[in-house]
Amino acid sequence: DRDQDQDQRNRPSHIDTPVRCVLGSTYPRHPPQLSCRSEVFLRATTRALNEWLQSRAAEFDGEPCVFQIIDELRDGGLGRLMREGLISADDLTGRARDAAGSQAKGAAATGPMASGQFSRAFLVFHHIYNKHKRRDILAWARELKLTGFSMHGKPGVVCVEGDAELVTDYIQRLRRLPWQRMQVKVRQDLPLADGDAVQAERKFSRFGELQRVQHRTGHAALHAEVGELRAVLDQHGLGDVFQQLFSVTMTADQADQENPSTHPQ
């Protein structure tokens, strides 16, 4: 048993992997060419990893992505490929298999823990259009059991509420994505004596995306969407937050855009 423990301690937790990056003259409008090779990878591993690099780069839809992808690769890239079923343990050499296992276990062990403190945060973005970012905004909120809403467009707005540690983890994930501007405009924290009381403090029962106004364009659409946002905040007892988000006064006509069927309840 002692020898096994020593063997576990000697197993590598990472692999040094050089990444080759070719940036064309049209980058970031067109994605970069990314590839990597390592002597500890089998051919199938190298192929799967390079296919993942190229598909991930294509997801950024004309936005800078090189440093973000390298960070993701550094932060448990092999473990991610194994969890997503893109490679199996048979595709790895012994050293690479040990590193991938350590990355996967480390990710599970260091996941966010509930703090027993309630938090509600409002994030304002220059814009939210990218379909992959919209997907991550929804998926991460649901993964962390946060409630609230997102409003894509320009500006983009996200509201999340739940355990404070999970809200912090959610914000950190979003910060790792490339944004023209992202700001936490309002954050409300409330210490709780009982961890179960988090549920009682929620204003929303789920996390959903507000639907954009499709039949208007330009300033008319902007006014309608911001008015829609104000109506949602008023409906959930958060009307005072609106002024803090935009520091403007909307007329009653602009705020009267509510469509209950599109709102997270």
Side-chain angles (χ1 to χ4, degrees):
D1 292 341
R2 182 175 301 174
D3 291 340
Q4 290 180 348
D5 291 341
Q6 182 66 33
D7 180 62
Q8 290 286 345
R9 286 193 294 270
N10 291 335
R11 288 185 174 184
S13 61
H14 71 279
I15 297 174
D16 292 330
T17 308
V19 177
R20 182 173 182 266
C21 176
V22 178
L23 301 179
S25 60
T26 58
Y27 175 82
R29 184 160 53 89
H30 292 98
Q33 297 295 316
L34 300 174
S35 62
C36 68
R37 296 185 63 182
S38 174
E39 61 182 13
V40 301
F41 291 165
L42 298 180
R43 182 174 300 176
T45 310
T46 300
R47 182 174 59 252
L49 185 54
N50 287 333
E51 289 176 353
W52 177 83
L53 286 170
Q54 287 307 122
S55 64
R56 186 70 181 100
E59 291 179 356
F60 282 77
D61 287 346
E63 298 183 8
C65 63
V66 173
F67 293 112
Q68 169 68 20
I69 293 174
I70 291 176
D71 282 344
E72 292 179 8
L73 185 62
R74 184 184 295 119
D75 186 21
L78 286 180
R80 178 183 292 108
L81 292 177
M82 291 186 68
R83 291 193 301 273
E84 295 179 359
L86 299 178
I87 60 173
S88 67
D90 294 336
D91 296 326
L92 303 175
T93 63
R95 183 183 175 194
R97 187 182 306 118
D98 292 341
S102 298
Q103 290 171 350
K105 292 177 181 178
T110 59
M113 302 295 290
S115 66
Q117 182 177 17
F118 178 81
S119 182
R120 181 181 298 111
F122 292 86
L123 292 69
V124 176
F125 301 79
H126 179 270
H127 65 270
I128 302 176
Y129 290 123
N130 185 286
K131 63 181 180 180
H132 301 290
K133 291 180 180 178
R134 290 169 58 188
R135 175 198 63 193
D136 290 340
I137 287 170
L138 291 170
W140 290 339
R142 291 165 181 170
E143 174 192 338
L144 297 173
K145 297 180 172 55
L146 302 176
T147 52
F149 64 85
S150 66
M151 185 184 80
H152 63 283
K154 181 181 179 180
V157 178
V158 172
C159 166
V160 285
E161 58 180 13
D163 185 90
E165 287 294 332
L166 303 182
V167 169
T168 297
D169 180 72
Y170 181 79
I171 294 172
Q172 290 174 344
R173 294 189 190 189
L174 291 184
R175 286 194 187 281
R176 292 180 59 185
L177 300 178
W179 302 100
Q180 184 167 338
R181 184 173 68 249
M182 169 186 167
Q183 183 178 6
V184 181
K185 291 295 291 284
V186 179
R187 178 155 183 172
Q188 304 164 335
D189 294 304
L190 177 64
L192 300 174
D194 183 357
D196 294 335
V198 168
Q199 197 65 25
E201 296 296 331
R202 296 183 189 270
K203 298 291 187 180
F204 302 88
S205 61
R206 65 181 182 87
F207 191 94
E209 186 177 76
L210 302 184
Q211 299 300 314
R212 297 188 66 195
V213 179
Q214 300 293 337
H215 62 284
R216 301 187 185 185
T217 59
H219 291 296
L222 175 60
H223 289 169
E225 290 161 10
V226 175
E228 168 81 359
L229 173 63
R230 182 172 186 176
V232 171
L233 294 175
D234 287 340
Q235 178 184 348
H236 291 85
L238 298 168
D240 59 314
V241 175
F242 184 82
Q243 296 294 330
Q244 300 177 60
L245 293 179
F246 297 106
S247 301
V248 296
T249 302
M250 298 291 292
T251 67
D253 289 340
Q254 291 170 335
D256 189 20
Q257 301 292 332
E258 185 173 353
N259 182 354
S261 63
T262 66
H263 301 163
Q265 299 297 323

